[in-house]
Amino acid sequence: MIQLERITFHYEKHLPLFEEFSWQVARGQSWAVIGPSGCGKSTLLYLLAGLQHPQQGTLRINGEALNAPRPSTGLILQDYGLLPWSTVRQNVRLGLALRKFYGPDGKHTPAAGVPPQQEKAVDQWLERLGIAAIAEKFPGQISGGQRQRTAIARTLLLEPDLLLMDEPFASLDTPTREDLQQLVHTLAAERPLTTVSVTHTIDEALFLGEKILVLKNGGNRAPLVLENPFSGQGTQQSEPAYQALTARIREALRESA
């Protein structure tokens, strides 16, 4: 699904965040990416989304070199990315409106129209994510959890095969965060969806990723990957194996700072 082959990336006048860095993600896997601030977690997502490009090396998705954003990649940000002047329904439908203009291949080939089944899917996603009752409200009138549910609905409506999430639950209270973590995990398990989630908390990494990529400051060369048997399990914190893996991640984070 994802192949990074000896990529190097740096921002102007800064040291490289990635130096000849190689990493692979198989189709349908769920990954969590964790590391200290400034290590390149969000940059990695922007590279995968086609919003940034490596100075060297090759990045492929489904065997094709990534030179621009692809329509089948969904990106969910911490700040939700909602239009404040549009209702929940209009925000959910936004992706369909953009696809109508650019076409399903994303190459500025206008489509004839939005298929009726996709219009119907808007209502289905509003119902599925529990936001149908607030469909005509504006983002400023709803809670943070409801705004994030709107962003998730807007993304999944377009049926992506790759879902990228940049600390999407960081600003939410604990019950809402745990509820949305479970929702995303359930939705990803229901469809052939590959997920890469950036997080700054160990517990969230252990819940969201069956594999955990630990990044470090000072340039990432060889990826540190930890296998996680506790993905999707929110009640294992007292198990010795869970505590041992938590300690291993914490140690890796100290070494990477």
Side-chain angles (χ1 to χ4, degrees):
M1 178 65 176
I2 298 173
Q3 293 177 302
L4 273 66
E5 299 177 359
R6 301 173 67 88
I7 70 162
T8 295
F9 178 85
H10 63 85
Y11 293 104
E12 188 176 358
K13 298 181 180 179
H14 287 78
L15 294 174
L17 292 170
F18 299 96
E19 287 189 84
E20 297 192 346
F21 180 81
S22 297
W23 177 53
Q24 293 191 3
V25 174
R27 182 182 300 277
Q29 287 184 334
S30 60
W31 283 74
V33 181
I34 194 169
S37 296
C39 70
K41 299 188 300 295
S42 294
T43 297
L44 178 61
L45 282 197
Y46 299 153
L47 288 166
L48 296 178
L51 301 175
Q52 296 280 6
H53 305 285
Q55 282 86 19
Q56 297 179 15
T58 304
L59 196 167
R60 291 186 173 88
I61 297 183
N62 285 341
E64 296 185 3
L66 183 65
N67 299 311
R70 57 192 292 271
S72 295
T73 295
L75 178 62
I76 298 177
L77 303 172
Q78 183 178 343
D79 65 358
Y80 318 124
L82 303 182
L83 302 179
W85 55 84
S86 297
T87 65
V88 167
R89 179 184 298 279
Q90 290 167 337
N91 271 289
V92 170
R93 196 185 177 282
L94 179 62
L96 292 181
L98 292 175
R99 180 167 289 180
K100 179 180 178 181
F101 180 75
Y102 285 103
D105 61 358
K107 295 180 180 179
H108 203 86
T109 50
V114 177
Q117 65 269 25
Q118 288 188 326
E119 291 284 10
K120 184 178 180 181
V122 173
D123 289 327
Q124 293 173 340
W125 278 111
L126 289 169
E127 290 285 350
R128 180 67 195 277
L129 272 75
I131 51 177
I134 59 166
E136 305 311 319
K137 292 185 179 293
F138 294 90
Q141 298 174 312
I142 60 178
S143 69
Q146 291 169 327
R147 289 195 289 271
Q148 194 59 291
R149 285 174 179 269
T150 302
I152 294 170
R154 179 185 60 195
T155 301
L156 295 183
L157 174 65
L158 298 178
E159 300 181 345
D161 58 9
L162 174 61
L163 179 62
L164 310 174
M165 297 185 290
D166 191 4
E167 298 193 32
F169 315 126
S171 61
L172 304 176
D173 59 82
T174 299
T176 301
R177 181 171 64 249
E178 292 177 349
D179 181 51
L180 287 178
Q181 288 172 353
Q182 183 62 63
L183 174 66
V184 168
H185 187 273
T186 299
L187 293 172
E190 291 177 354
R191 61 203 69 243
L193 186 61
T194 305
T195 61
V196 180
S197 307
V198 162
T199 179
H200 66 280
T201 64
I202 294 175
D203 285 342
E204 184 166 82
L206 288 169
F207 188 89
L208 291 177
E210 59 186 349
K211 293 178 179 287
I212 298 173
L213 173 65
V214 182
L215 297 182
K216 67 177 184 177
N217 280 328
N220 291 278
R221 296 175 180 84
L224 173 57
V225 175
L226 301 176
E227 300 288 338
N228 172 32
F230 302 103
S231 175
Q233 304 176 39
T235 60
Q236 309 297 318
Q237 286 88 342
S238 61
E239 289 193 10
Y242 186 98
Q243 294 175 351
L245 183 53
T246 298
R248 175 69 183 92
I249 296 172
R250 188 170 288 115
E251 177 186 7
L253 291 174
R254 284 198 297 268
E255 292 172 353
S256 65

